[in-house]
Amino acid sequence: MQATPVARLTAFGNLDEDDYKVLAKMGGTGRKFAPNEFLQREGSDFRRIWLLMTGFTASSVNRANGRRRLLRIHLSGDLVGLPSLALITAASSIVALSPVVAIPIKISVLTEVFESYPRLAAMIFLVSQEERVALMDRLISVGGLSIVERVANLLLHIHARILCSDPLAGEAFYLPLTQGDVADLVGCTPVHANRAIQHLRSTGLVSWNRQDVELLDRPALVKLAGYIPRIVERDSSWLPVNR
Amino acid sequence: MQATPVARLTAFGNLDEDDYKVLAKMGGTGRKFAPNEFLQREGSDFRRIWLLMTGFTASSVNRANGRRRLLRIHLSGDLVGLPSLALITAASSIVALSPVVAIPIKISVLTEVFESYPRLAAMIFLVSQEERVALMDRLISVGGLSIVERVANLLLHIHARILCSDPLAGEAFYLPLTQGDVADLVGCTPVHANRAIQHLRSTGLVSWNRQDVELLDRPALVKLAGYIPRIVERDSSWLPVNR
DNA sequence: CGACTTCTTGAGGAGACTCAAGGGTGGTGG
DNA sequence: CCACCACCCTTGAGTCTCCTCAAGAAGTCG
């Protein structure tokens, strides 16, 4: 297992040797997915989780009007499919937005983690809490901001996530999303997403050509979007120790 | 600890004697809160979780326009404050919407649960996943439905939660929310919430007088709101056993 | 009884949607 | 190598939902 995919876990504290040992068990062979291919289908009762290695994926649901709604974007290092563990059928699909590599993980590994690696279990638990906060932030965004503000918010969020796994990345990043994808993410029509993007371009806040995005004026974007950086609590003293 | 507050846990499987023993440690004396009183403040770095015994609470953030946004409603049996465990400062406030009784729980109890009661830990983990699904459902609602549909959705959701802790409850329930609260929950103005409620009344779907709500035609409401019942997976075979 | 909050109703305006059509780009196959 | 096709991006015009502002009615609590 490379360093990158565990970045979300190590944000909360250091992993010990045993943790890495059980994580290594997760590291099987990755499966490849093409854009718009599904890792999981909404309504399916087949229970499996994935560890994302590379690429962009999103949780998706189908809408009455035929379009889809993208609820949450997932990047490398994310463990996806956990929410549907609680239900008899999957609440959302998981769809690849770019070429993706993901490792399927057996649920039994999760059993072992909870039974024998309480520290690791608690850290996975914390990542899930972080996801809850992220969903709440998206709810604030969708319910209270204009489309231009939501797009700015989305870009800042993705940029922060990329910085998390690659602290040396600058203001520019690769974004393999169509404007239709952006529309599905911020909850509007492709036409309107296009207008919002052009507004960000014309005001000089963002450069966005094909799949290359650069945040030209991040402070202004932060102000525009009312963006609140979420800083994770590292070395939480309450974390249990492994036996 | 009464039976009701553990309903969300037992939905996933049976608890054993040890589980109840550690849960009993949680059961200190409840603190009372008046409506609009805060259990937790957005931005606070004081880390604590609460077990709700009675009353309605909600996760709340302040908006630029002076109003607040209610992100998620919490009822008795909910463990609130978990998401902010992952962050250095609380992402949202937790506010009482009715008279509330809640038991403060020390974080150290959580440490003990993860260390020694893996089955209970996994069940709390599953409730958090269920919460993620609920947040995704709210995101679908806010991003894709009209105000009338969102209000219908909210009523169906609350009704389902009440049925969960009291299976004998009928179609009528006590809802201690003002129309302003409803507006903050569905993400609109009080004026518009009022119009939506009147629409539901005039079409004979809902009876809503003061704090008494009755769903007069639940099938029609379900259809209107595109409501999808989320059924939890009971007796998940992967759940660990306690040592 | 008076002050306050909540509920209700009206009118005008702004943002986002729908429908529609044209232009650019990459991929495929002849 | 070129023609064609599919998808994505772009732009325009009209419509509708929802918001804002405003004010009055009803209910609640001290």
Side-chain angles (χ1 to χ4, degrees):
Chain A
M1 184 121 133
Q2 294 89 329
T4 315
V6 298
R8 288 201 74 182
L9 288 176
T10 52
F12 292 106
N14 295 322
L15 296 169
D16 69 20
E17 215 172 293
D18 282 343
D19 292 330
Y20 279 107
K21 215 183 295 173
V22 69
L23 281 173
K25 285 191 197 170
M26 297 186 177
T29 50
R31 251 197 70 186
K32 291 182 182 175
F33 295 88
N36 294 318
E37 215 175 327
F38 287 94
L39 285 76
Q40 177 184 90
R41 291 269 186 181
E42 179 181 359
S44 152
D45 61 354
F46 181 60
R47 213 160 269 89
R48 159 138 78 173
I49 56 182
W50 298 90
L51 176 63
L52 300 182
M53 301 303 284
T54 61
F56 281 61
T57 61
S59 293
S60 142
V61 291
N62 291 319
R63 294 181 52 173
N65 65 6
R67 286 202 72 82
R68 64 186 179 186
R69 184 71 203 283
L70 300 181
L71 301 172
R72 177 92 179 98
I73 207 162
H74 308 292
L75 302 183
S76 70
D78 279 348
L79 217 48
V80 300
L82 290 176
S84 292
L85 279 187
L87 304 180
I88 58 170
T89 58
S92 66
S93 302
I94 297 169
V95 62
L97 299 179
S98 72
V100 160
V101 177
I103 298 174
I105 294 180
K106 288 200 185 70
I107 310 286
S108 59
V109 175
L110 209 54
T111 312
E112 189 179 350
V113 168
F114 270 93
E115 276 179 349
S116 307
Y117 304 88
R119 182 178 166 84
L120 189 56
M123 286 163 88
I124 293 172
F125 176 77
L126 281 180
V127 173
S128 289
Q129 303 309 326
E130 203 188 343
E131 282 294 317
R132 281 175 69 179
V133 173
L135 278 170
M136 290 195 278
D137 283 339
R138 285 189 45 70
L139 206 43
I140 296 169
S141 162
V142 170
L145 303 180
S146 72
I147 298 296
V148 172
E149 293 164 340
R150 288 187 226 175
V151 172
N153 213 312
L154 177 69
L155 292 179
L156 288 168
H157 176 77
I158 293 176
H159 182 244
R161 274 300 308 275
I162 288 172
L163 278 186
C164 164
S165 53
D166 177 11
L168 297 179
E171 302 294 306
F173 55 95
Y174 174 70
L175 188 66
L177 305 181
T178 67
Q179 292 187 2
D181 293 334
V182 173
D184 293 339
L185 275 165
V186 303
C188 71
T189 58
V191 172
H192 218 78
N194 175 268
R195 288 179 173 136
I197 291 168
Q198 289 188 50
H199 179 79
L200 290 175
R201 279 203 277 243
S202 67
T203 51
L205 298 181
V206 165
S207 150
W208 192 332
N209 297 311
R210 320 192 27 76
Q211 305 196 316
D212 296 313
V213 172
E214 183 174 3
L215 309 184
L216 299 176
D217 188 348
R218 188 140 57 94
L221 278 173
V222 167
K223 193 174 171 208
L224 172 67
Y227 179 76
I228 302 168
R230 300 298 187 189
I231 304 164
V232 305
E233 170 76 13
R234 195 177 155 76
D235 290 325
S236 305
S237 56
W238 66 269
L239 281 177
V241 295
N242 288 331
R243 232 168 317 275
Chain B
M1 184 119 136
Q2 294 91 326
T4 314
V6 298
R8 288 202 72 181
L9 288 176
T10 52
F12 292 105
N14 295 322
L15 296 169
D16 68 20
E17 215 171 293
D18 282 343
D19 292 330
Y20 279 108
K21 217 183 292 174
V22 68
L23 281 172
K25 285 192 197 169
M26 297 184 177
T29 50
R31 252 197 69 187
K32 289 182 183 176
F33 295 88
N36 294 318
E37 215 176 326
F38 287 94
L39 285 75
Q40 176 185 88
R41 291 270 186 179
E42 181 180 358
S44 153
D45 61 354
F46 182 59
R47 212 159 270 91
R48 160 139 77 174
I49 56 182
W50 297 92
L51 176 63
L52 299 182
M53 301 303 284
T54 62
F56 281 61
T57 61
S59 293
S60 144
V61 291
N62 292 319
R63 294 181 54 173
N65 65 5
R67 286 202 72 83
R68 65 186 178 183
R69 184 72 203 283
L70 300 180
L71 302 172
R72 177 92 180 98
I73 206 162
H74 308 291
L75 302 182
S76 70
D78 280 348
L79 218 47
V80 301
L82 291 175
S84 292
L85 278 187
L87 304 179
I88 57 170
T89 59
S92 66
S93 302
I94 296 168
V95 62
L97 299 178
S98 72
V100 160
V101 177
I103 298 174
I105 294 180
K106 287 200 186 70
I107 309 287
S108 60
V109 175
L110 209 54
T111 312
E112 189 179 350
V113 168
F114 271 91
E115 277 179 348
S116 307
Y117 303 88
R119 180 177 168 85
L120 188 56
M123 286 163 87
I124 293 172
F125 176 78
L126 280 180
V127 173
S128 289
Q129 304 308 329
E130 203 189 342
E131 282 294 318
R132 282 175 68 179
V133 173
L135 278 169
M136 290 194 279
D137 283 340
R138 286 189 45 70
L139 205 43
I140 296 167
S141 162
V142 170
L145 303 180
S146 72
I147 299 296
V148 173
E149 293 164 341
R150 290 187 223 173
V151 172
N153 213 312
L154 176 69
L155 292 179
L156 288 167
H157 175 78
I158 293 174
H159 181 244
R161 274 298 310 275
I162 288 172
L163 278 187
C164 164
S165 53
D166 178 11
L168 297 180
E171 302 293 306
F173 53 96
Y174 175 70
L175 187 66
L177 305 180
T178 66
Q179 293 187 1
D181 293 334
V182 173
D184 294 338
L185 276 165
V186 303
C188 71
T189 57
V191 171
H192 218 77
N194 175 270
R195 287 178 175 138
I197 290 168
Q198 288 187 50
H199 178 80
L200 290 176
R201 279 201 277 243
S202 68
T203 51
L205 298 182
V206 165
S207 150
W208 191 331
N209 296 310
R210 317 190 29 73
Q211 306 195 316
D212 295 314
V213 172
E214 183 172 3
L215 309 184
L216 298 177
D217 187 347
R218 188 140 57 94
L221 278 173
V222 167
K223 193 175 171 207
L224 171 68
Y227 179 77
I228 303 168
R230 301 298 186 188
I231 305 163
V232 304
E233 170 75 14
R234 194 176 156 77
D235 291 325
S236 305
S237 56
W238 67 269
L239 281 176
V241 296
N242 288 330
R243 232 168 317 276

